[in-house]
Amino acid sequence: MLHAENLFSYYGKSPILQDVSFSLKAGEFLSVLGRNGVGKTTLLKTIMGLTDRCEGRLEFDGADISGRSTPERARLGIGYIPQGREIIPRFTVEENIIMGCYARTDGKREIPDYLFEMFPILREFLTRRGGDLSGGQQQQLAIARALAMDPKILILDEPTEGIQPNIVRQIEDAIVHLNRERGLAVILVEQNIPFARKASDRFVVLDKGAVAMAGHKDELTDAVVEKHMTF
């Protein structure tokens, strides 16, 4: 479904990603791991076309999307939940979710019912401003907004970072449900190694902008974590 080959991605003249290659099959769960500052967020932004320049090949459903704009990539079915959530604080919960619908190609502008089954608080707070929600509730809203576009792939950048513990489990369960029950492919940047081991099919470890290791989740051993992810 998604295939990256020899990707170099730049901010200005500096290459942040260097010769990165990976593949994601339909319905697969891939965790992107590594220390802070090694290029994990840049990789997700590169997939969405949000860096200054990219070299190499990036394919989605067999077509090269390297030259496509961010809105075009979203309409193809790539849903993105950035670090920091980036909801619109003055918009209501309903308005924020409906925004996601505008990336749909079927013209539907209705909120899917299953979003409220996963995150009941959003139905309760439908008319409340997004900026008035807690951090965990805003993260649920950001996920719901991305799902409203009916994506084929969901890309999440540390979705439980800074979230109150009682909501972390709910968000993690929702991500696993979307992958296992609804067949949604997932790319997850995460520091929570136990969750990555539980949820992933495969993993990629980045170090200094390059792939340091990749493999099946069973290969994500304590030795790998010690070598590539401890400080």
Side-chain angles (χ1 to χ4, degrees), residues 147-160:
L147 293 172
M149 62 176 278
D150 192 28
K152 298 176 182 177
I153 294 178
L154 194 63
I155 301 175
L156 305 103
D157 194 350
E158 298 199 32
T160 61

Side-chain angles (χ1 to χ4, degrees), residues 63-99:
D64 189 351
I65 62 170
S66 302
R68 301 268 189 131
S69 68
T70 299
E72 287 175 322
R73 297 182 196 202
R75 283 192 290 270
L76 287 173
I78 306 176
Y80 176 47
I81 299 99
Q83 196 173 31
R85 301 175 282 275
E86 296 186 12
I87 64 162
I88 299 180
R90 290 184 174 274
F91 279 20
T92 66
V93 167
E94 181 176 23
E95 289 167 340
N96 268 281
I97 300 175
I98 289 294
M99 277 191 61

Side-chain angles (χ1 to χ4, degrees), residues 173-191:
D173 288 347
I175 295 169
V176 171
H177 167 80
L178 290 165
N179 176 248
R180 302 285 195 270
E181 305 300 325
R182 303 190 71 89
L184 191 61
V186 173
I187 299 178
L188 173 73
V189 165
E190 186 56 84
Q191 297 285 358

